[in-house]
Amino acid sequence: MRLGRIASPDGVAFVSIEETEGSTTAKEIAEHPFGTPTFTGRSWPLADVRLLAPILASKVICVGRNYAAHIAELGSETPENPVIFLKPNTSIVGPEVPIVRPPSSERVDFEGELAVVIGRPCKDVKAADAASAILGYTVANDVTARDQQKIDGQWTRAKGYDTFCPLGPWIETSFDPTDAAITTELDGEVRQRSRTSLMLNDVPTIVEWVSRVMTLLPGDVILTGTPEGVGPMLAGQRVSVSVEGIGTLSNPVVDKP
């Protein structure tokens, strides 16, 4: 199932996005998409509504240094265990919402990533049971003020600005994260091209590691790390992150007035 969140003339709603007879329809879900969703009977052509971030997480947990080539391009050391950090949920935006470069940073980078969406409350999940805790997967951009990351020595400020966590365009519940292509384009030029099979820590390992530390709640998002090729974005440019089997998340870039 492809789950989304939309703004329509009737308000904001969770929806199931379905292809029917050559058209794409957003069918309204009653209440929330967790468990077995029920439907209200209302629907809209997808072209007539606006896609929002597919989920508003209570927290966004990110994995750093999870692709060897990215570690090499940053000149960092390979960690023995997953390195995790948090982005505030106020950094989440949806497709087509501008990424706002703060005036305090001279370099704001894109980082295309696969994101995991948690489907139930869980703690101390074993890797073998990780799939049972996952609602589905979406596409993310872990936007980073690279200069501030280097200056601060920890990553909260550099990763935490409003608009620094684009998510979308929807959640794919029938997705195999083992070996999917991940690509980032800047103004149509490919800057990142890799596969999820190159992660140092796969999704089950990440879910086990994170859930040992903190309780995960329905809708929480885990970003699984970015491959090599990260780079700066300038105002007026457009960044698009694609994950094979899910879709493309695209956002323009602007400077904060």
Side-chain angles (χ1 to χ4, degrees), residues 3-17 26-33 40 42-44 49-55:
L3 301 170
R5 194 167 145 269
I6 63 161
S8 76
D10 300 312
V12 174
F14 286 108
V15 295
S16 171
I17 299 170
K27 296 176 60 178
E28 186 178 40
I29 294 172
E31 297 182 354
H32 59 73
T40 66
R42 297 200 300 178
S43 64
W44 304 266
V49 299
R50 179 166 60 92
L51 283 170
L52 306 174
I55 202 75

PDB file of all heavy atoms in Angstrom, residues 3-17 26-33 40 42-44 49-55:
ATOM      1  N   LEU A   3       0.914   4.977   1.211  1.00  0.00           N
ATOM      2  CA  LEU A   3       0.229   5.848   2.156  1.00  0.00           C
ATOM      3  C   LEU A   3       0.759   7.262   2.035  1.00  0.00           C
ATOM      4  O   LEU A   3       1.975   7.482   1.977  1.00  0.00           O
ATOM      5  CB  LEU A   3       0.439   5.352   3.585  1.00  0.00           C
ATOM      6  CG  LEU A   3      -0.031   3.932   3.893  1.00  0.00           C
ATOM      7  CD1 LEU A   3       0.456   3.504   5.271  1.00  0.00           C
ATOM      8  CD2 LEU A   3      -1.552   3.850   3.815  1.00  0.00           C
ATOM      9  N   GLY A   4      -0.148   8.223   2.017  1.00  0.00           N
ATOM     10  CA  GLY A   4       0.259   9.614   1.928  1.00  0.00           C
ATOM     11  C   GLY A   4      -0.520  10.479   2.889  1.00  0.00           C
ATOM     12  O   GLY A   4      -1.426  10.023   3.601  1.00  0.00           O
ATOM     13  N   ARG A   5      -0.179  11.744   2.858  1.00  0.00           N
ATOM     14  CA  ARG A   5      -0.881  12.755   3.660  1.00  0.00           C
ATOM     15  C   ARG A   5      -1.099  13.945   2.739  1.00  0.00           C
ATOM     16  O   ARG A   5      -0.156  14.415   2.093  1.00  0.00           O
ATOM     17  CB  ARG A   5      -0.045  13.110   4.878  1.00  0.00           C
ATOM     18  CG  ARG A   5      -0.755  13.874   5.959  1.00  0.00           C
ATOM     19  CD  ARG A   5       0.074  13.890   7.249  1.00  0.00           C
ATOM     20  NE  ARG A   5      -0.095  15.145   7.948  1.00  0.00           N
ATOM     21  CZ  ARG A   5       0.660  16.209   7.785  1.00  0.00           C
ATOM     22  NH1 ARG A   5       1.704  16.178   6.961  1.00  0.00           N
ATOM     23  NH2 ARG A   5       0.417  17.324   8.429  1.00  0.00           N
ATOM     24  N   ILE A   6      -2.318  14.432   2.687  1.00  0.00           N
ATOM     25  CA  ILE A   6      -2.643  15.457   1.700  1.00  0.00           C
ATOM     26  C   ILE A   6      -3.356  16.644   2.333  1.00  0.00           C
ATOM     27  O   ILE A   6      -3.941  16.543   3.420  1.00  0.00           O
ATOM     28  CB  ILE A   6      -3.543  14.896   0.582  1.00  0.00           C
ATOM     29  CG1 ILE A   6      -4.894  14.427   1.163  1.00  0.00           C
ATOM     30  CG2 ILE A   6      -2.848  13.760  -0.170  1.00  0.00           C
ATOM     31  CD1 ILE A   6      -5.990  14.285   0.151  1.00  0.00           C
ATOM     32  N   ALA A   7      -3.303  17.761   1.624  1.00  0.00           N
ATOM     33  CA  ALA A   7      -4.170  18.902   1.902  1.00  0.00           C
ATOM     34  C   ALA A   7      -5.135  19.014   0.726  1.00  0.00           C
ATOM     35  O   ALA A   7      -4.717  19.110  -0.428  1.00  0.00           O
ATOM     36  CB  ALA A   7      -3.349  20.174   2.044  1.00  0.00           C
ATOM     37  N   SER A   8      -6.422  18.958   1.038  1.00  0.00           N
ATOM     38  CA  SER A   8      -7.468  19.069   0.021  1.00  0.00           C
ATOM     39  C   SER A   8      -8.374  20.235   0.389  1.00  0.00           C
ATOM     40  O   SER A   8      -8.234  20.828   1.474  1.00  0.00           O
ATOM     41  CB  SER A   8      -8.287  17.773  -0.036  1.00  0.00           C
ATOM     42  OG  SER A   8      -9.185  17.710   1.058  1.00  0.00           O
ATOM     43  N   PRO A   9      -9.328  20.583  -0.465  1.00  0.00           N
ATOM     44  CA  PRO A   9     -10.288  21.634  -0.084  1.00  0.00           C
ATOM     45  C   PRO A   9     -11.061  21.294   1.182  1.00  0.00           C
ATOM     46  O   PRO A   9     -11.611  22.194   1.830  1.00  0.00           O
ATOM     47  CB  PRO A   9     -11.221  21.691  -1.305  1.00  0.00           C
ATOM     48  CG  PRO A   9     -10.380  21.233  -2.449  1.00  0.00           C
ATOM     49  CD  PRO A   9      -9.497  20.165  -1.869  1.00  0.00           C
ATOM     50  N   ASP A  10     -11.082  20.011   1.554  1.00  0.00           N
ATOM     51  CA  ASP A  10     -11.813  19.596   2.749  1.00  0.00           C
ATOM     52  C   ASP A  10     -10.929  19.494   3.991  1.00  0.00           C
ATOM     53  O   ASP A  10     -11.417  19.129   5.064  1.00  0.00           O
ATOM     54  CB  ASP A  10     -12.481  18.238   2.496  1.00  0.00           C
ATOM     55  CG  ASP A  10     -13.465  18.304   1.343  1.00  0.00           C
ATOM     56  OD1 ASP A  10     -14.284  19.242   1.323  1.00  0.00           O
ATOM     57  OD2 ASP A  10     -13.402  17.440   0.446  1.00  0.00           O
ATOM     58  N   GLY A  11      -9.639  19.781   3.863  1.00  0.00           N
ATOM     59  CA  GLY A  11      -8.740  19.721   5.010  1.00  0.00           C
ATOM     60  C   GLY A  11      -7.579  18.771   4.786  1.00  0.00           C
ATOM     61  O   GLY A  11      -7.266  18.390   3.654  1.00  0.00           O
ATOM     62  N   VAL A  12      -6.924  18.390   5.882  1.00  0.00           N
ATOM     63  CA  VAL A  12      -5.758  17.508   5.842  1.00  0.00           C
ATOM     64  C   VAL A  12      -6.190  16.085   6.182  1.00  0.00           C
ATOM     65  O   VAL A  12      -7.003  15.885   7.103  1.00  0.00           O
ATOM     66  CB  VAL A  12      -4.671  17.984   6.835  1.00  0.00           C
ATOM     67  CG1 VAL A  12      -3.521  16.997   6.908  1.00  0.00           C
ATOM     68  CG2 VAL A  12      -4.161  19.367   6.418  1.00  0.00           C
ATOM     69  N   ALA A  13      -5.660  15.107   5.447  1.00  0.00           N
ATOM     70  CA  ALA A  13      -6.066  13.724   5.682  1.00  0.00           C
ATOM     71  C   ALA A  13      -4.956  12.768   5.300  1.00  0.00           C
ATOM     72  O   ALA A  13      -4.136  13.060   4.419  1.00  0.00           O
ATOM     73  CB  ALA A  13      -7.317  13.401   4.874  1.00  0.00           C
ATOM     74  N   PHE A  14      -4.918  11.612   5.979  1.00  0.00           N
ATOM     75  CA  PHE A  14      -4.123  10.480   5.517  1.00  0.00           C
ATOM     76  C   PHE A  14      -4.895   9.809   4.387  1.00  0.00           C
ATOM     77  O   PHE A  14      -6.134   9.716   4.423  1.00  0.00           O
ATOM     78  CB  PHE A  14      -3.885   9.475   6.635  1.00  0.00           C
ATOM     79  CG  PHE A  14      -2.889   9.916   7.656  1.00  0.00           C
ATOM     80  CD1 PHE A  14      -3.290  10.286   8.934  1.00  0.00           C
ATOM     81  CD2 PHE A  14      -1.534   9.957   7.352  1.00  0.00           C
ATOM     82  CE1 PHE A  14      -2.377  10.696   9.879  1.00  0.00           C
ATOM     83  CE2 PHE A  14      -0.603  10.371   8.294  1.00  0.00           C
ATOM     84  CZ  PHE A  14      -1.025  10.742   9.558  1.00  0.00           C
ATOM     85  N   VAL A  15      -4.161   9.314   3.397  1.00  0.00           N
ATOM     86  CA  VAL A  15      -4.813   8.688   2.248  1.00  0.00           C
ATOM     87  C   VAL A  15      -4.031   7.465   1.798  1.00  0.00           C
ATOM     88  O   VAL A  15      -2.844   7.313   2.092  1.00  0.00           O
ATOM     89  CB  VAL A  15      -4.930   9.664   1.058  1.00  0.00           C
ATOM     90  CG1 VAL A  15      -5.855  10.835   1.383  1.00  0.00           C
ATOM     91  CG2 VAL A  15      -3.561  10.163   0.604  1.00  0.00           C
ATOM     92  N   SER A  16      -4.727   6.607   1.072  1.00  0.00           N
ATOM     93  CA  SER A  16      -4.102   5.546   0.299  1.00  0.00           C
ATOM     94  C   SER A  16      -4.073   6.021  -1.150  1.00  0.00           C
ATOM     95  O   SER A  16      -5.106   6.444  -1.682  1.00  0.00           O
ATOM     96  CB  SER A  16      -4.893   4.254   0.426  1.00  0.00           C
ATOM     97  OG  SER A  16      -4.404   3.283  -0.479  1.00  0.00           O
ATOM     98  N   ILE A  17      -2.897   5.971  -1.767  1.00  0.00           N
ATOM     99  CA  ILE A  17      -2.744   6.466  -3.127  1.00  0.00           C
ATOM    100  C   ILE A  17      -2.789   5.271  -4.066  1.00  0.00           C
ATOM    101  O   ILE A  17      -1.955   4.369  -3.973  1.00  0.00           O
ATOM    102  CB  ILE A  17      -1.434   7.250  -3.274  1.00  0.00           C
ATOM    103  CG1 ILE A  17      -1.460   8.457  -2.314  1.00  0.00           C
ATOM    104  CG2 ILE A  17      -1.220   7.704  -4.710  1.00  0.00           C
ATOM    105  CD1 ILE A  17      -0.137   9.173  -2.184  1.00  0.00           C
ATOM    106  N   ALA A  26      -6.466   9.562  -4.485  1.00  0.00           N
ATOM    107  CA  ALA A  26      -6.161   9.591  -3.060  1.00  0.00           C
ATOM    108  C   ALA A  26      -7.429   9.259  -2.290  1.00  0.00           C
ATOM    109  O   ALA A  26      -8.390  10.042  -2.294  1.00  0.00           O
ATOM    110  CB  ALA A  26      -5.629  10.961  -2.660  1.00  0.00           C
ATOM    111  N   LYS A  27      -7.463   8.091  -1.636  1.00  0.00           N
ATOM    112  CA  LYS A  27      -8.640   7.635  -0.892  1.00  0.00           C
ATOM    113  C   LYS A  27      -8.438   7.939   0.592  1.00  0.00           C
ATOM    114  O   LYS A  27      -7.455   7.501   1.198  1.00  0.00           O
ATOM    115  CB  LYS A  27      -8.850   6.138  -1.097  1.00  0.00           C
ATOM    116  CG  LYS A  27      -9.159   5.742  -2.539  1.00  0.00           C
ATOM    117  CD  LYS A  27      -9.265   4.234  -2.689  1.00  0.00           C
ATOM    118  CE  LYS A  27     -10.355   3.656  -1.812  1.00  0.00           C
ATOM    119  NZ  LYS A  27     -10.477   2.179  -2.005  1.00  0.00           N
ATOM    120  N   GLU A  28      -9.348   8.665   1.171  1.00  0.00           N
ATOM    121  CA  GLU A  28      -9.197   9.130   2.548  1.00  0.00           C
ATOM    122  C   GLU A  28      -9.259   7.987   3.552  1.00  0.00           C
ATOM    123  O   GLU A  28     -10.161   7.147   3.515  1.00  0.00           O
ATOM    124  CB  GLU A  28     -10.265  10.159   2.886  1.00  0.00           C
ATOM    125  CG  GLU A  28     -10.071  10.785   4.267  1.00  0.00           C
ATOM    126  CD  GLU A  28     -11.107  11.848   4.563  1.00  0.00           C
ATOM    127  OE1 GLU A  28     -12.296  11.646   4.204  1.00  0.00           O
ATOM    128  OE2 GLU A  28     -10.744  12.876   5.161  1.00  0.00           O
ATOM    129  N   ILE A  29      -8.287   7.979   4.468  1.00  0.00           N
ATOM    130  CA  ILE A  29      -8.231   7.009   5.559  1.00  0.00           C
ATOM    131  C   ILE A  29      -8.850   7.630   6.804  1.00  0.00           C
ATOM    132  O   ILE A  29      -8.576   8.791   7.136  1.00  0.00           O
ATOM    133  CB  ILE A  29      -6.776   6.587   5.834  1.00  0.00           C
ATOM    134  CG1 ILE A  29      -6.221   5.806   4.628  1.00  0.00           C
ATOM    135  CG2 ILE A  29      -6.671   5.767   7.111  1.00  0.00           C
ATOM    136  CD1 ILE A  29      -4.745   5.511   4.733  1.00  0.00           C
ATOM    137  N   ALA A  30      -9.675   6.885   7.496  1.00  0.00           N
ATOM    138  CA  ALA A  30     -10.254   7.360   8.742  1.00  0.00           C
ATOM    139  C   ALA A  30      -9.194   7.352   9.840  1.00  0.00           C
ATOM    140  O   ALA A  30      -8.500   6.352  10.035  1.00  0.00           O
ATOM    141  CB  ALA A  30     -11.441   6.482   9.140  1.00  0.00           C
ATOM    142  N   GLU A  31      -9.032   8.437  10.510  1.00  0.00           N
ATOM    143  CA  GLU A  31      -8.147   8.601  11.657  1.00  0.00           C
ATOM    144  C   GLU A  31      -6.681   8.503  11.275  1.00  0.00           C
ATOM    145  O   GLU A  31      -6.045   9.510  10.980  1.00  0.00           O
ATOM    146  CB  GLU A  31      -8.506   7.607  12.771  1.00  0.00           C
ATOM    147  CG  GLU A  31      -9.910   7.826  13.322  1.00  0.00           C
ATOM    148  CD  GLU A  31     -10.260   6.889  14.446  1.00  0.00           C
ATOM    149  OE1 GLU A  31      -9.463   5.971  14.738  1.00  0.00           O
ATOM    150  OE2 GLU A  31     -11.352   7.058  15.032  1.00  0.00           O
ATOM    151  N   HIS A  32      -6.080   7.297  11.262  1.00  0.00           N
ATOM    152  CA  HIS A  32      -4.637   7.175  11.053  1.00  0.00           C
ATOM    153  C   HIS A  32      -4.335   5.929  10.219  1.00  0.00           C
ATOM    154  O   HIS A  32      -5.189   5.049  10.055  1.00  0.00           O
ATOM    155  CB  HIS A  32      -3.897   7.105  12.398  1.00  0.00           C
ATOM    156  CG  HIS A  32      -4.320   5.967  13.260  1.00  0.00           C
ATOM    157  ND1 HIS A  32      -3.971   4.661  12.981  1.00  0.00           N
ATOM    158  CD2 HIS A  32      -5.062   5.923  14.398  1.00  0.00           C
ATOM    159  CE1 HIS A  32      -4.464   3.859  13.899  1.00  0.00           C
ATOM    160  NE2 HIS A  32      -5.145   4.592  14.765  1.00  0.00           N
ATOM    161  N   PRO A  33      -3.096   5.822   9.696  1.00  0.00           N
ATOM    162  CA  PRO A  33      -2.781   4.707   8.795  1.00  0.00           C
ATOM    163  C   PRO A  33      -2.194   3.481   9.480  1.00  0.00           C
ATOM    164  O   PRO A  33      -1.805   2.532   8.801  1.00  0.00           O
ATOM    165  CB  PRO A  33      -1.733   5.339   7.867  1.00  0.00           C
ATOM    166  CG  PRO A  33      -1.006   6.298   8.750  1.00  0.00           C
ATOM    167  CD  PRO A  33      -2.037   6.846   9.698  1.00  0.00           C
ATOM    168  N   THR A  40     -13.012   6.340   4.689  1.00  0.00           N
ATOM    169  CA  THR A  40     -14.230   7.144   4.876  1.00  0.00           C
ATOM    170  C   THR A  40     -15.148   7.070   3.671  1.00  0.00           C
ATOM    171  O   THR A  40     -16.319   7.435   3.764  1.00  0.00           O
ATOM    172  CB  THR A  40     -13.860   8.610   5.111  1.00  0.00           C
ATOM    173  OG1 THR A  40     -13.258   9.158   3.927  1.00  0.00           O
ATOM    174  CG2 THR A  40     -12.909   8.755   6.292  1.00  0.00           C
ATOM    175  N   ARG A  42     -14.461   8.904   0.997  1.00  0.00           N
ATOM    176  CA  ARG A  42     -14.136  10.089   0.200  1.00  0.00           C
ATOM    177  C   ARG A  42     -12.825   9.871  -0.548  1.00  0.00           C
ATOM    178  O   ARG A  42     -11.909   9.191  -0.057  1.00  0.00           O
ATOM    179  CB  ARG A  42     -14.016  11.325   1.078  1.00  0.00           C
ATOM    180  CG  ARG A  42     -15.296  11.710   1.777  1.00  0.00           C
ATOM    181  CD  ARG A  42     -15.300  13.161   2.234  1.00  0.00           C
ATOM    182  NE  ARG A  42     -14.214  13.449   3.171  1.00  0.00           N
ATOM    183  CZ  ARG A  42     -13.992  14.661   3.671  1.00  0.00           C
ATOM    184  NH1 ARG A  42     -14.764  15.685   3.303  1.00  0.00           N
ATOM    185  NH2 ARG A  42     -13.020  14.856   4.534  1.00  0.00           N
ATOM    186  N   SER A  43     -12.712  10.466  -1.732  1.00  0.00           N
ATOM    187  CA  SER A  43     -11.477  10.370  -2.503  1.00  0.00           C
ATOM    188  C   SER A  43     -11.359  11.574  -3.416  1.00  0.00           C
ATOM    189  O   SER A  43     -12.344  12.271  -3.692  1.00  0.00           O
ATOM    190  CB  SER A  43     -11.439   9.077  -3.321  1.00  0.00           C
ATOM    191  OG  SER A  43     -12.472   9.071  -4.288  1.00  0.00           O
ATOM    192  N   TRP A  44     -10.112  11.821  -3.878  1.00  0.00           N
ATOM    193  CA  TRP A  44      -9.822  12.935  -4.765  1.00  0.00           C
ATOM    194  C   TRP A  44      -8.815  12.479  -5.808  1.00  0.00           C
ATOM    195  O   TRP A  44      -7.944  11.652  -5.519  1.00  0.00           O
ATOM    196  CB  TRP A  44      -9.204  14.108  -4.001  1.00  0.00           C
ATOM    197  CG  TRP A  44      -9.986  14.618  -2.855  1.00  0.00           C
ATOM    198  CD1 TRP A  44     -10.886  15.643  -2.852  1.00  0.00           C
ATOM    199  CD2 TRP A  44      -9.949  14.143  -1.496  1.00  0.00           C
ATOM    200  NE1 TRP A  44     -11.407  15.842  -1.602  1.00  0.00           N
ATOM    201  CE2 TRP A  44     -10.854  14.937  -0.746  1.00  0.00           C
ATOM    202  CE3 TRP A  44      -9.245  13.121  -0.840  1.00  0.00           C
ATOM    203  CZ2 TRP A  44     -11.068  14.744   0.605  1.00  0.00           C
ATOM    204  CZ3 TRP A  44      -9.459  12.932   0.515  1.00  0.00           C
ATOM    205  CH2 TRP A  44     -10.355  13.730   1.227  1.00  0.00           C
ATOM    206  N   VAL A  49      -5.046  17.618  -5.268  1.00  0.00           N
ATOM    207  CA  VAL A  49      -4.667  17.824  -3.867  1.00  0.00           C
ATOM    208  C   VAL A  49      -3.169  18.099  -3.781  1.00  0.00           C
ATOM    209  O   VAL A  49      -2.442  17.948  -4.758  1.00  0.00           O
ATOM    210  CB  VAL A  49      -5.034  16.604  -2.990  1.00  0.00           C
ATOM    211  CG1 VAL A  49      -6.535  16.364  -3.029  1.00  0.00           C
ATOM    212  CG2 VAL A  49      -4.276  15.360  -3.446  1.00  0.00           C
ATOM    213  N   ARG A  50      -2.720  18.504  -2.596  1.00  0.00           N
ATOM    214  CA  ARG A  50      -1.294  18.782  -2.388  1.00  0.00           C
ATOM    215  C   ARG A  50      -0.713  17.748  -1.441  1.00  0.00           C
ATOM    216  O   ARG A  50      -1.245  17.532  -0.347  1.00  0.00           O
ATOM    217  CB  ARG A  50      -1.111  20.199  -1.831  1.00  0.00           C
ATOM    218  CG  ARG A  50       0.342  20.584  -1.562  1.00  0.00           C
ATOM    219  CD  ARG A  50       0.479  22.082  -1.350  1.00  0.00           C
ATOM    220  NE  ARG A  50      -0.311  22.558  -0.230  1.00  0.00           N
ATOM    221  CZ  ARG A  50       0.143  22.661   1.033  1.00  0.00           C
ATOM    222  NH1 ARG A  50       1.393  22.296   1.321  1.00  0.00           N
ATOM    223  NH2 ARG A  50      -0.635  23.122   1.992  1.00  0.00           N
ATOM    224  N   LEU A  51       0.368  17.113  -1.867  1.00  0.00           N
ATOM    225  CA  LEU A  51       1.037  16.149  -1.000  1.00  0.00           C
ATOM    226  C   LEU A  51       1.807  16.875   0.102  1.00  0.00           C
ATOM    227  O   LEU A  51       2.573  17.811  -0.160  1.00  0.00           O
ATOM    228  CB  LEU A  51       2.008  15.286  -1.813  1.00  0.00           C
ATOM    229  CG  LEU A  51       1.395  14.172  -2.657  1.00  0.00           C
ATOM    230  CD1 LEU A  51       2.455  13.577  -3.574  1.00  0.00           C
ATOM    231  CD2 LEU A  51       0.787  13.082  -1.778  1.00  0.00           C
ATOM    232  N   LEU A  52       1.605  16.416   1.325  1.00  0.00           N
ATOM    233  CA  LEU A  52       2.334  16.916   2.478  1.00  0.00           C
ATOM    234  C   LEU A  52       3.390  15.887   2.884  1.00  0.00           C
ATOM    235  O   LEU A  52       3.458  14.798   2.315  1.00  0.00           O
ATOM    236  CB  LEU A  52       1.367  17.155   3.637  1.00  0.00           C
ATOM    237  CG  LEU A  52       0.158  18.049   3.351  1.00  0.00           C
ATOM    238  CD1 LEU A  52      -0.783  18.057   4.553  1.00  0.00           C
ATOM    239  CD2 LEU A  52       0.590  19.461   2.994  1.00  0.00           C
ATOM    240  N   ALA A  53       4.205  16.213   3.873  1.00  0.00           N
ATOM    241  CA  ALA A  53       5.071  15.181   4.449  1.00  0.00           C
ATOM    242  C   ALA A  53       4.180  14.023   4.868  1.00  0.00           C
ATOM    243  O   ALA A  53       3.138  14.242   5.513  1.00  0.00           O
ATOM    244  CB  ALA A  53       5.833  15.730   5.645  1.00  0.00           C
ATOM    245  N   PRO A  54       4.522  12.786   4.516  1.00  0.00           N
ATOM    246  CA  PRO A  54       3.596  11.672   4.740  1.00  0.00           C
ATOM    247  C   PRO A  54       3.359  11.341   6.195  1.00  0.00           C
ATOM    248  O   PRO A  54       2.409  10.635   6.521  1.00  0.00           O
ATOM    249  CB  PRO A  54       4.271  10.509   4.011  1.00  0.00           C
ATOM    250  CG  PRO A  54       5.718  10.877   3.939  1.00  0.00           C
ATOM    251  CD  PRO A  54       5.743  12.365   3.819  1.00  0.00           C
ATOM    252  N   ILE A  55       4.206  11.846   7.086  1.00  0.00           N
ATOM    253  CA  ILE A  55       4.043  11.578   8.511  1.00  0.00           C
ATOM    254  C   ILE A  55       4.639  12.739   9.292  1.00  0.00           C
ATOM    255  O   ILE A  55       5.600  13.366   8.848  1.00  0.00           O
ATOM    256  CB  ILE A  55       4.716  10.241   8.911  1.00  0.00           C
ATOM    257  CG1 ILE A  55       4.129   9.683  10.204  1.00  0.00           C
ATOM    258  CG2 ILE A  55       6.223  10.383   8.995  1.00  0.00           C
ATOM    259  CD1 ILE A  55       2.752   9.078  10.046  1.00  0.00           C
TER     260      ILE A  55
END
